[in-house]
Amino acid sequence: MRRAGRLALAALCSLMVVAASCGGGGGGGGGDDAARAEALAKRTGPQGRVPQFLVECTFSHFAPDDPIVWPDAPGRSHNHTFVGNDSAEASSTVQSLDRAGTTCRNQQDRASYWAPTLYDHRQPVVPDKADAYYRPGPMVDPTTIETYPHGLKIVSGDHTKNAQPPEVARWSCGTGGERQATAPECPPGRNLRLEVVFPDCWNGTDTDSDDHRSHMSRSVGGLCPDTHPVPVPELMLAYTYPISGPGHELLLASGDTGTAHADFFNAWDPDTLAGEIRSCLHRQVICGVASNRPTS
């Protein structure tokens, strides 16, 4: 625990640019380091001081398709709201995604992202935007993060459950509000937001699995399990909806708002993604909107 605490504290110190206020590298202070690391790990907001890079995307299309769970079965899925790759549909492959365009500001991010469509009074809601945050898992050493394999498919959340663990999926009002299992009523001016957090450990071999989950796992205490030894970025996908104030009747295409989940199909330009990981995560810095450009 002391080692994990020092890793998290080191990342925190390097980002605050006030090294004098952080503990030194000598003996002592282990208990304080661990306590600070634990406090950092409990942070649920999207930014804070965790090294990361952000990709901003806009709405692409609605479709009753799921290229991961229901490949080559158009119309078999509940309705999804797609952002990013503008060609995603039931028969999508990584090759077809590679050839398509994207609604993301970083045009080298041709990945497809999707979540169940939100309905208000039975009408589909077009999100204002979607933000994809790429960062280390809690307490994971940022310098150990490896890039995703091209074509990796990840599912996060379980639509058969009416509430997801907060580390998997949660709702809030704006970026700073309390995280909740179901969609809250948001005050005017603070729009509804859904966050889905993806697993951050890969088995090192497979880009998919029969259940679309077994090839991925989540880190614990800053470490990936032996069965999934490769630490990859922890993706957090956040949809912001033009929903606030009273008078809404909200459901997801998958059921109650507690059934929130999301999917990711990696079609990033491999060199660009690897460059973002080196420039932002390995250097332990926050890359915001300015990183939404091809890495030179």
Side-chain angles (χ1 to χ4, degrees), residues 21-271:
S21 67
C22 297
D32 289 342
D33 291 356
R36 292 177 187 176
E38 183 178 1
L40 178 65
K42 289 181 178 178
R43 182 196 56 76
T44 56
Q47 299 207 41
R49 298 183 178 91
V50 176
Q52 62 193 272
F53 58 94
L54 164 67
V55 179
E56 295 179 318
C57 307
T58 57
F59 171 75
S60 177
H61 58 281
F62 297 121
D65 292 345
D66 191 323
I68 296 178
V69 178
W70 295 107
D72 299 315
R76 180 66 179 81
S77 171
H78 53 247
N79 206 43
H80 283 111
T81 299
F82 288 83
V83 301
N85 196 288
D86 58 15
S87 73
E89 42 90 21
S91 61
S92 291
T93 63
V94 68
Q95 291 80 13
S96 69
L97 298 179
D98 283 341
R99 294 190 296 268
T102 179
T103 68
C104 296
R105 289 186 61 180
N106 187 330
Q107 292 292 293
Q108 302 305 307
D109 180 5
R110 292 185 290 271
S112 184
Y113 310 83
W114 63 94
T117 297
L118 179 67
Y119 290 88
D120 186 13
H121 293 280
R122 301 184 180 273
Q123 296 300 311
V125 180
V126 174
D128 287 332
K129 64 173 182 173
D131 294 323
Y133 298 86
Y134 292 83
R135 56 193 185 180
M139 297 172 61
V140 173
D141 179 355
T143 66
T144 67
I145 301 299
E146 299 187 22
T147 192
Y148 296 131
H150 201 55
L152 180 67
K153 302 174 182 179
I154 317 179
V155 177
S156 185
D158 185 348
H159 75 276
T160 67
K161 297 181 179 179
N162 288 329
Q164 311 299 314
E167 65 271 16
V168 174
R170 62 255 181 158
W171 297 85
S172 66
C173 299
T175 59
E178 177 185 357
R179 271 58 181 172
Q180 302 182 37
T182 56
E185 180 179 310
C186 293
R190 296 183 62 193
N191 284 357
L192 183 66
R193 178 181 169 97
L194 169 64
E195 299 174 352
V196 180
V197 182
F198 288 75
D200 63 312
C201 299
W202 175 46
N203 68 6
T205 303
D206 305 303
T207 56
D208 197 6
S209 48
D210 289 343
D211 63 359
H212 311 295
R213 298 175 186 273
S214 299
H215 60 301
M216 301 297 298
S217 186
R218 296 181 190 268
S219 60
V220 177
L223 298 173
C224 285
D226 292 340
T227 54
H228 297 75
V230 182
V232 294
E234 181 190 72
L235 167 64
M236 187 183 79
L237 179 63
Y239 280 53
T240 300
Y241 300 95
I243 299 288
S244 63
H248 299 282
E249 294 181 5
L250 301 178
L251 287 173
L252 289 172
S254 51
D256 292 338
T257 56
T259 64
H261 58 282
D263 300 61
F264 168 72
F265 194 158
N266 178 36
W268 271 85
D269 173 76
D271 291 340

